[in-house]
Amino acid sequence: MSEAHYFIGIPLSPSLQQRLGFIQDKVAPYVSYKKWTNHQDFHITLTFLGSVAENKVEELRDRMRHLSKVRSSFSLPLTGLGTFGEHDQPRVLWAGVEKVDALVQLYTGVSEECEKAGYPKEKRSYSPHITLAKKWKGDQQLRKPLDEIVEFEETYVVDHFSLFRIHPGTTPMYEEVEKFMLEEEA
């Protein structure tokens, strides 16, 4: 049997999921994507682990439990829409996440603990975002600047992060395996 794939990320509240779903609906007539993220799958990735042997899952859980006890909850500004890839046919549409110190510290802690468990550190710089859609289709071009379609600005309180298991081909695709509560904000 093949090993399951996992990642560690920050799940979003149902109300924020609903708001982002509304934004997807507003933007959809102006873009051409093959894959739209299911509302229940919205998250902010901290570390993608890939294939994880079942006997390594408990070690990861222990490391994340320990980390959550030395990190505090924090407010996270979310603002704007953006893209990765070509300007006219971007491969990814995302909602913006401000790279505040507390988020970077959590990301760094998670990355370091995963590296100690034998998972390679991400070589690219951390670019936090919430994926709304991906895989541009056809030769149509982006029809209107995103900031003219809809405005997006929220503050989200991050009080936990989670270990997720990926189930390709299912909806929703991400299963929250364990939630790691952060200490109360000082």
Side-chain angles (χ1 to χ4, degrees), residues 87-144:
H87 176 72
D88 293 338
Q89 297 178 334
R91 62 182 165 72
V92 176
L93 170 66
W94 49 257
V97 175
E98 193 172 313
K99 202 170 172 180
V100 298
D101 287 344
L103 176 61
V104 172
Q105 290 169 8
L106 180 59
Y107 161 77
T108 301
V110 167
S111 295
E112 288 171 355
E113 290 301 320
C114 289
E115 189 174 27
K116 289 175 190 172
Y119 295 90
K121 203 170 198 172
E122 176 64 57
K123 291 177 179 24
R124 297 175 292 185
S125 66
Y126 186 50
S127 182
H129 62 279
I130 303 163
T131 300
L132 301 178
K134 58 187 174 181
K135 298 184 181 177
W136 192 269
K137 66 180 179 185
D139 55 5
Q140 171 185 323
Q141 294 188 350
L142 184 63
R143 294 188 220 156
K144 192 173 188 181

Side-chain angles (χ1 to χ4, degrees), residues 20-63:
L20 291 168
F22 171 77
I23 288 171
Q24 283 178 319
D25 293 343
K26 294 284 280 186
V27 172
Y30 302 97
V31 296
S32 184
Y33 283 100
K34 290 179 189 173
K35 184 167 173 50
W36 290 87
T37 304
N38 179 280
H39 303 173
Q40 293 174 303
D41 286 334
F42 289 135
H43 68 279
I44 301 164
T45 301
L46 293 169
T47 298
F48 177 75
L49 298 165
S51 181
V52 177
E54 284 306 312
N55 64 346
K56 293 290 278 181
V57 172
E58 193 56 39
E59 178 186 357
L60 285 166
R61 291 168 108 163
D62 288 343
R63 288 181 176 282

